[in-house]
Amino acid sequence: MPPLQGQKVTLMVAMALALIWVDHHYPWLKPVRQQAAWVLEPAQSTAMVPSVLVEWFGESAATRQELLHENKQLSARNLILETRVQRLAALEAENVELRQLLNASEKLGGRVLVSSVLAVDPDPYSQQIFINKGSEDGVFVGQPVLDAYGLLGQVIDVLPNRSRVLMIADSNHAIPVQVNRNGVRAIAAGTGALDSLELLYVPSTADIKEGDLLISSGLGRRYPRGYPVATVNSIENIAGKPFARVSAEPSAHLDRSRHLLLLFNDEGTHITPPDLWQEQQK
């Protein structure tokens, strides 16, 4: 550094120290300091902009990450709670079904076995289901199967731990029935639709009305007598035809029931029907 320049630096440092000492001990330079601060404020504010922006962006990024994390946690909790609510609704519905099944089983005359539906036959032309009871539980081919509302079908195949049930709506199934009101007999055949049965060869003059309850007649000894099968919902008399077209809706909930009853007969071929079904016609 040249001697002259070094002297200038020394002089400026001395002046600065002198001004600091004077400003510290006397108020003479206060107006000057305030005026300088006012003049330099824009420059100071401009100089602070980068650091302010960096800090703001840093806080925004941190806040955004926290919000995203919190949102994910809340979404997960909400999903868990919704799943629990759905499960509670399913359990409540299952509870209702079990109570109804228990009420029905208490009024049956013979021994019963409670089973659950495992699967539904995927064949669209077949109305069959699989249940979780088999030969190890005493299940046998031809055994009647009910739900809490009426006859559902019969066992057609038995394995050690599961069985196949042919439902009354299957197009290959038919069951002898009678009108609970007056005893008129007919054959209820499956149509392949879960909500409809067809009465075969019903004379146009037969005393059958819409709303009549059809119960199993016990003929053929495949099904016990006196269990609800269906309710007549449509009667069509065709001019010139000797037989009427009669449709009925199954009493059993073929498309919904999950828990079923298997009927046993410990006293031979006859299974005493429950009196409770007669009350449905009233």
Side-chain angles (χ1 to χ4, degrees):
M1 181 182 295
L4 182 59
Q5 189 173 2
Q7 292 175 1
K8 289 182 178 179
V9 172
T10 303
L11 179 61
M12 292 177 66
V13 171
M15 290 179 62
L17 292 173
L19 289 173
I20 292 173
W21 186 86
V22 172
D23 183 58
H24 182 70
H25 292 84
Y26 302 97
W28 303 335
L29 296 178
K30 186 176 180 180
V32 177
R33 186 174 68 253
Q34 292 177 344
Q35 189 69 21
W38 183 80
V39 172
L40 296 174
E41 182 180 3
Q44 291 176 344
S45 299
T46 302
M48 292 176 64
V49 167
S51 62
V52 172
L53 290 176
V54 169
E55 183 179 356
W56 183 80
F57 279 118
E59 291 179 353
S60 297
T63 302
R64 184 173 182 275
Q65 290 299 323
E66 290 176 0
L67 289 175
L68 288 174
H69 180 67
E70 185 177 357
N71 186 56
K72 288 181 180 180
Q73 287 184 325
L74 291 175
S75 297
R77 290 177 184 174
N78 187 54
L79 181 60
I80 292 172
L81 290 175
E82 287 181 352
T83 304
R84 288 178 178 175
V85 169
Q86 293 171 5
R87 181 58 181 155
L88 287 174
L91 288 174
E92 183 178 358
E94 187 175 3
N95 240 3
V96 171
E97 183 180 0
L98 287 172
R99 283 198 299 269
Q100 292 169 337
L101 196 66
L102 178 62
N103 182 55
S105 66
E106 288 176 348
K107 298 180 180 180
L108 295 177
R111 184 167 61 92
V112 297
L113 174 67
V114 177
S115 65
S116 298
V117 176
L118 287 178
V120 177
D121 193 328
D123 186 350
Y125 302 103
S126 173
Q127 299 297 347
Q128 300 179 19
I129 58 175
F130 297 91
I131 60 176
N132 67 342
K133 302 296 182 182
S135 58
E136 293 185 355
D137 306 289
V139 178
F140 56 90
V141 173
Q143 187 169 14
V145 182
L146 300 87
D147 68 359
Y149 307 96
L151 278 173
L152 182 134
Q154 62 176 298
V155 176
I156 59 172
D157 189 24
V158 179
L159 295 175
N161 295 305
R162 70 172 184 167
S163 303
R164 181 191 292 264
V165 175
L166 180 71
M167 293 196 289
I168 60 175
D170 191 279
S171 57
N172 294 315
H173 186 276
I175 175 175
V177 297
Q178 66 184 63
V179 178
N180 189 52
R181 176 173 55 85
N182 55 18
V184 171
R185 292 190 296 269
I187 300 295
T191 62
L194 291 173
D195 60 350
S196 179
L197 301 178
E198 181 182 2
L199 299 192
L200 303 179
Y201 310 117
V202 176
S204 299
T205 57
D207 184 13
I208 297 180
K209 302 178 181 179
E210 291 185 10
D212 276 344
L213 175 65
L214 304 175
I215 61 175
S216 54
S217 65
L219 299 179
R221 293 177 176 258
R222 174 63 68 183
Y223 290 100
R225 179 181 58 83
Y227 290 92
V229 176
T231 301
V232 177
N233 59 7
S234 174
I235 301 175
E236 182 182 358
N237 290 306
I238 303 174
K241 298 290 184 180
F243 301 110
R245 183 177 298 170
V246 182
S247 297
E249 182 180 359
S251 299
H253 293 179
L254 305 183
D255 60 340
R256 298 192 296 278
S257 290
R258 185 175 179 83
H259 301 282
L260 308 175
L261 289 175
L262 294 157
L263 291 183
F264 288 90
N265 180 12
D266 296 328
E267 301 176 356
T269 58
H270 177 69
I271 301 178
T272 305
D275 294 334
L276 77 104
W277 306 126
Q278 312 302 327
E279 299 175 1
Q280 294 188 8
Q281 186 65 13
K282 296 180 180 181

